Amino acid sequence: MGLFEKLRARISGPRLIDELETLAGQCEALVNRMRLHAERGLYPAIANEVRAIAEQEAAHERILRGILAESGRWPRPPENLPRDGSNNWERLSGDLEILVQFTLVLQRQAMRWESEHPAIGETLNKIASEASDSEFKLRRLAAKLDPQALD
């Protein structure tokens, strides 16, 4: 390994995996929040859809955890999360905010990983695409609960 490869590995390697730890922690926190919110007084049909989104994101969290485990790393819990909210709309809007941020950062991570480790980059791209679909579904559910929405 040449000097430039060693320097590049030292600069890009740890930062990417550190950022992936943070992303996995955000995903784990999101899944826990969504599962809790599905149990807190949502209409049954909406609660089932929120549970389904939470399970999709739980599958993503398991994949991220597996990537981290190969490097002997674990998800890092987020430092702060949006407040829980006083009604269903606020709770799902907070979940949506976390999911939007997760998806954006994951898309950037996927591009950076593609040059370092193409298989991981491809996996992260797939997760980002599926998370974007989940984002759309959750946005639709939150809109149904918007207290200011017109009939």
Side-chain angles (χ1 to χ4, degrees), residues 104-128:
L104 287 173
V105 175
L106 189 61
Q107 288 169 340
R108 284 188 224 122
Q109 277 284 305
M111 287 188 301
R112 292 174 64 200
W113 275 96
E114 283 176 345
S115 64
E116 299 292 324
H117 198 293
I120 292 176
E122 185 177 323
T123 300
L124 296 181
N125 261 327
K126 183 176 185 254
I127 292 172

mmCIF file of all heavy atoms in Angstrom, residues 104-128:
data_model
loop_
_atom_site.group_PDB
_atom_site.id
_atom_site.type_symbol
_atom_site.label_atom_id
_atom_site.label_comp_id
_atom_site.label_asym_id
_atom_site.label_seq_id
_atom_site.Cartn_x
_atom_site.Cartn_y
_atom_site.Cartn_z
ATOM 1 N N LEU A 104 -31.789 11.771 3.715
ATOM 2 C CA LEU A 104 -30.851 12.689 3.059
ATOM 3 C C LEU A 104 -29.402 12.336 3.373
ATOM 4 O O LEU A 104 -28.560 12.258 2.477
ATOM 5 C CB LEU A 104 -31.127 14.128 3.503
ATOM 6 C CG LEU A 104 -32.376 14.786 2.944
ATOM 7 C CD1 LEU A 104 -32.608 16.145 3.612
ATOM 8 C CD2 LEU A 104 -32.294 14.942 1.444
ATOM 9 N N VAL A 105 -29.116 12.116 4.639
ATOM 10 C CA VAL A 105 -27.745 11.797 5.036
ATOM 11 C C VAL A 105 -27.339 10.429 4.477
ATOM 12 O O VAL A 105 -26.209 10.240 4.041
ATOM 13 C CB VAL A 105 -27.585 11.858 6.568
ATOM 14 C CG1 VAL A 105 -26.207 11.409 6.998
ATOM 15 C CG2 VAL A 105 -27.854 13.277 7.066
ATOM 16 N N LEU A 106 -28.263 9.489 4.467
ATOM 17 C CA LEU A 106 -27.970 8.161 3.941
ATOM 18 C C LEU A 106 -27.640 8.218 2.446
ATOM 19 O O LEU A 106 -26.729 7.518 1.984
ATOM 20 C CB LEU A 106 -29.138 7.215 4.197
ATOM 21 C CG LEU A 106 -28.896 5.749 3.900
ATOM 22 C CD1 LEU A 106 -27.772 5.195 4.766
ATOM 23 C CD2 LEU A 106 -30.169 4.953 4.137
ATOM 24 N N GLN A 107 -28.341 9.049 1.700
ATOM 25 C CA GLN A 107 -28.041 9.198 0.272
ATOM 26 C C GLN A 107 -26.626 9.741 0.073
ATOM 27 O O GLN A 107 -25.897 9.265 -0.800
ATOM 28 C CB GLN A 107 -29.064 10.115 -0.393
ATOM 29 C CG GLN A 107 -30.422 9.471 -0.536
ATOM 30 C CD GLN A 107 -31.502 10.455 -0.948
ATOM 31 O OE1 GLN A 107 -31.364 11.662 -0.790
ATOM 32 N NE2 GLN A 107 -32.601 9.928 -1.465
ATOM 33 N N ARG A 108 -26.238 10.723 0.878
ATOM 34 C CA ARG A 108 -24.870 11.258 0.790
ATOM 35 C C ARG A 108 -23.851 10.196 1.174
ATOM 36 O O ARG A 108 -22.802 10.065 0.544
ATOM 37 C CB ARG A 108 -24.716 12.481 1.689
ATOM 38 C CG ARG A 108 -25.358 13.703 1.111
ATOM 39 C CD ARG A 108 -25.010 14.938 1.923
ATOM 40 N NE ARG A 108 -26.234 15.694 2.076
ATOM 41 C CZ ARG A 108 -26.787 16.036 3.220
ATOM 42 N NH1 ARG A 108 -26.212 15.742 4.353
ATOM 43 N NH2 ARG A 108 -27.904 16.704 3.247
ATOM 44 N N GLN A 109 -24.156 9.443 2.218
ATOM 45 C CA GLN A 109 -23.258 8.375 2.657
ATOM 46 C C GLN A 109 -23.081 7.333 1.563
ATOM 47 O O GLN A 109 -21.977 6.841 1.346
ATOM 48 C CB GLN A 109 -23.822 7.692 3.913
ATOM 49 C CG GLN A 109 -23.514 8.393 5.190
ATOM 50 C CD GLN A 109 -22.087 8.136 5.586
ATOM 51 O OE1 GLN A 109 -21.658 7.010 5.697
ATOM 52 N NE2 GLN A 109 -21.349 9.209 5.776
ATOM 53 N N ALA A 110 -24.175 6.983 0.893
ATOM 54 C CA ALA A 110 -24.109 5.974 -0.169
ATOM 55 C C ALA A 110 -23.135 6.404 -1.258
ATOM 56 O O ALA A 110 -22.323 5.596 -1.723
ATOM 57 C CB ALA A 110 -25.502 5.734 -0.747
ATOM 58 N N MET A 111 -23.193 7.673 -1.631
ATOM 59 C CA MET A 111 -22.274 8.156 -2.675
ATOM 60 C C MET A 111 -20.826 8.075 -2.201
ATOM 61 O O MET A 111 -19.948 7.694 -2.972
ATOM 62 C CB MET A 111 -22.613 9.607 -3.045
ATOM 63 C CG MET A 111 -23.887 9.728 -3.845
ATOM 64 S SD MET A 111 -24.190 11.393 -4.481
ATOM 65 C CE MET A 111 -24.253 12.375 -3.000
ATOM 66 N N ARG A 112 -20.578 8.414 -0.958
ATOM 67 C CA ARG A 112 -19.206 8.377 -0.442
ATOM 68 C C ARG A 112 -18.706 6.949 -0.302
ATOM 69 O O ARG A 112 -17.534 6.668 -0.549
ATOM 70 C CB ARG A 112 -19.143 9.112 0.899
ATOM 71 C CG ARG A 112 -19.367 10.620 0.728
ATOM 72 C CD ARG A 112 -19.447 11.348 2.027
ATOM 73 N NE ARG A 112 -18.195 11.255 2.738
ATOM 74 C CZ ARG A 112 -18.095 11.462 4.049
ATOM 75 N NH1 ARG A 112 -19.153 11.757 4.760
ATOM 76 N NH2 ARG A 112 -16.923 11.361 4.640
ATOM 77 N N TRP A 113 -19.581 6.030 0.093
ATOM 78 C CA TRP A 113 -19.183 4.637 0.257
ATOM 79 C C TRP A 113 -18.916 3.968 -1.081
ATOM 80 O O TRP A 113 -18.154 3.009 -1.155
ATOM 81 C CB TRP A 113 -20.235 3.854 1.037
ATOM 82 C CG TRP A 113 -20.081 3.959 2.514
ATOM 83 C CD1 TRP A 113 -20.724 4.825 3.343
ATOM 84 C CD2 TRP A 113 -19.243 3.173 3.359
ATOM 85 N NE1 TRP A 113 -20.329 4.626 4.641
ATOM 86 C CE2 TRP A 113 -19.422 3.611 4.679
ATOM 87 C CE3 TRP A 113 -18.343 2.129 3.116
ATOM 88 C CZ2 TRP A 113 -18.754 3.051 5.757
ATOM 89 C CZ3 TRP A 113 -17.686 1.567 4.200
ATOM 90 C CH2 TRP A 113 -17.888 2.031 5.498
ATOM 91 N N GLU A 114 -19.588 4.407 -2.140
ATOM 92 C CA GLU A 114 -19.419 3.766 -3.450
ATOM 93 C C GLU A 114 -17.968 3.754 -3.909
ATOM 94 O O GLU A 114 -17.525 2.793 -4.524
ATOM 95 C CB GLU A 114 -20.300 4.442 -4.493
ATOM 96 C CG GLU A 114 -21.753 4.045 -4.376
ATOM 97 C CD GLU A 114 -22.660 4.779 -5.337
ATOM 98 O OE1 GLU A 114 -22.236 5.800 -5.919
ATOM 99 O OE2 GLU A 114 -23.801 4.327 -5.495
ATOM 100 N N SER A 115 -17.228 4.816 -3.599
ATOM 101 C CA SER A 115 -15.829 4.850 -4.014
ATOM 102 C C SER A 115 -14.936 4.021 -3.094
ATOM 103 O O SER A 115 -13.910 3.507 -3.522
ATOM 104 C CB SER A 115 -15.319 6.292 -4.074
ATOM 105 O OG SER A 115 -15.336 6.867 -2.783
ATOM 106 N N GLU A 116 -15.339 3.870 -1.830
ATOM 107 C CA GLU A 116 -14.535 3.122 -0.860
ATOM 108 C C GLU A 116 -14.862 1.624 -0.855
ATOM 109 O O GLU A 116 -13.979 0.789 -0.771
ATOM 110 C CB GLU A 116 -14.752 3.670 0.558
ATOM 111 C CG GLU A 116 -14.354 5.111 0.738
ATOM 112 C CD GLU A 116 -12.866 5.311 0.642
ATOM 113 O OE1 GLU A 116 -12.109 4.431 1.101
ATOM 114 O OE2 GLU A 116 -12.456 6.341 0.089
ATOM 115 N N HIS A 117 -16.139 1.340 -0.883
ATOM 116 C CA HIS A 117 -16.612 -0.039 -0.791
ATOM 117 C C HIS A 117 -17.917 -0.127 -1.588
ATOM 118 O O HIS A 117 -18.997 0.110 -1.032
ATOM 119 C CB HIS A 117 -16.839 -0.413 0.680
ATOM 120 C CG HIS A 117 -16.903 -1.870 0.929
ATOM 121 N ND1 HIS A 117 -17.923 -2.654 0.457
ATOM 122 C CD2 HIS A 117 -16.066 -2.705 1.606
ATOM 123 C CE1 HIS A 117 -17.734 -3.902 0.838
ATOM 124 N NE2 HIS A 117 -16.615 -3.957 1.536
ATOM 125 N N PRO A 118 -17.845 -0.458 -2.886
ATOM 126 C CA PRO A 118 -19.027 -0.424 -3.751
ATOM 127 C C PRO A 118 -20.220 -1.243 -3.256
ATOM 128 O O PRO A 118 -21.362 -0.818 -3.406
ATOM 129 C CB PRO A 118 -18.513 -0.970 -5.087
ATOM 130 C CG PRO A 118 -17.052 -0.701 -5.065
ATOM 131 C CD PRO A 118 -16.635 -0.816 -3.622
ATOM 132 N N ALA A 119 -19.978 -2.389 -2.652
ATOM 133 C CA ALA A 119 -21.101 -3.221 -2.189
ATOM 134 C C ALA A 119 -21.876 -2.512 -1.081
ATOM 135 O O ALA A 119 -23.118 -2.533 -1.065
ATOM 136 C CB ALA A 119 -20.589 -4.572 -1.695
ATOM 137 N N ILE A 120 -21.159 -1.882 -0.164
ATOM 138 C CA ILE A 120 -21.834 -1.145 0.909
ATOM 139 C C ILE A 120 -22.558 0.065 0.325
ATOM 140 O O ILE A 120 -23.693 0.362 0.702
ATOM 141 C CB ILE A 120 -20.840 -0.727 2.012
ATOM 142 C CG1 ILE A 120 -20.347 -1.975 2.752
ATOM 143 C CG2 ILE A 120 -21.489 0.245 2.987
ATOM 144 C CD1 ILE A 120 -19.287 -1.701 3.802
ATOM 145 N N GLY A 121 -21.921 0.752 -0.633
ATOM 146 C CA GLY A 121 -22.570 1.888 -1.289
ATOM 147 C C GLY A 121 -23.875 1.497 -1.951
ATOM 148 O O GLY A 121 -24.884 2.200 -1.842
ATOM 149 N N GLU A 122 -23.875 0.350 -2.621
ATOM 150 C CA GLU A 122 -25.094 -0.141 -3.277
ATOM 151 C C GLU A 122 -26.167 -0.472 -2.243
ATOM 152 O O GLU A 122 -27.345 -0.147 -2.427
ATOM 153 C CB GLU A 122 -24.754 -1.382 -4.107
ATOM 154 C CG GLU A 122 -25.905 -1.894 -4.924
ATOM 155 C CD GLU A 122 -25.510 -3.081 -5.789
ATOM 156 O OE1 GLU A 122 -24.370 -3.087 -6.296
ATOM 157 O OE2 GLU A 122 -26.336 -3.995 -5.930
ATOM 158 N N THR A 123 -25.770 -1.104 -1.148
ATOM 159 C CA THR A 123 -26.723 -1.432 -0.083
ATOM 160 C C THR A 123 -27.324 -0.161 0.507
ATOM 161 O O THR A 123 -28.540 -0.086 0.725
ATOM 162 C CB THR A 123 -26.024 -2.256 1.021
ATOM 163 O OG1 THR A 123 -25.530 -3.465 0.444
ATOM 164 C CG2 THR A 123 -26.972 -2.579 2.151
ATOM 165 N N LEU A 124 -26.491 0.829 0.770
ATOM 166 C CA LEU A 124 -26.982 2.083 1.335
ATOM 167 C C LEU A 124 -27.903 2.801 0.357
ATOM 168 O O LEU A 124 -28.903 3.402 0.771
ATOM 169 C CB LEU A 124 -25.816 2.986 1.738
ATOM 170 C CG LEU A 124 -24.905 2.453 2.844
ATOM 171 C CD1 LEU A 124 -23.811 3.467 3.158
ATOM 172 C CD2 LEU A 124 -25.687 2.102 4.092
ATOM 173 N N ASN A 125 -27.607 2.729 -0.943
ATOM 174 C CA ASN A 125 -28.502 3.318 -1.950
ATOM 175 C C ASN A 125 -29.866 2.659 -1.924
ATOM 176 O O ASN A 125 -30.896 3.331 -2.019
ATOM 177 C CB ASN A 125 -27.899 3.178 -3.352
ATOM 178 C CG ASN A 125 -27.209 4.426 -3.817
ATOM 179 O OD1 ASN A 125 -27.622 5.525 -3.484
ATOM 180 N ND2 ASN A 125 -26.148 4.248 -4.571
ATOM 181 N N LYS A 126 -29.877 1.341 -1.803
ATOM 182 C CA LYS A 126 -31.144 0.601 -1.752
ATOM 183 C C LYS A 126 -31.940 0.994 -0.512
ATOM 184 O O LYS A 126 -33.148 1.240 -0.587
ATOM 185 C CB LYS A 126 -30.866 -0.903 -1.750
ATOM 186 C CG LYS A 126 -32.114 -1.748 -1.775
ATOM 187 C CD LYS A 126 -31.774 -3.216 -1.869
ATOM 188 C CE LYS A 126 -33.030 -4.030 -2.014
ATOM 189 N NZ LYS A 126 -33.409 -4.751 -0.847
ATOM 190 N N ILE A 127 -31.256 1.081 0.630
ATOM 191 C CA ILE A 127 -31.933 1.486 1.868
ATOM 192 C C ILE A 127 -32.479 2.904 1.729
ATOM 193 O O ILE A 127 -33.616 3.185 2.133
ATOM 194 C CB ILE A 127 -30.974 1.385 3.074
ATOM 195 C CG1 ILE A 127 -30.631 -0.075 3.360
ATOM 196 C CG2 ILE A 127 -31.590 2.033 4.310
ATOM 197 C CD1 ILE A 127 -29.538 -0.249 4.401
ATOM 198 N N ALA A 128 -31.690 3.813 1.148
ATOM 199 C CA ALA A 128 -32.137 5.198 0.975
ATOM 200 C C ALA A 128 -33.372 5.276 0.089
ATOM 201 O O ALA A 128 -34.303 6.039 0.363
ATOM 202 C CB ALA A 128 -31.009 6.044 0.394
#
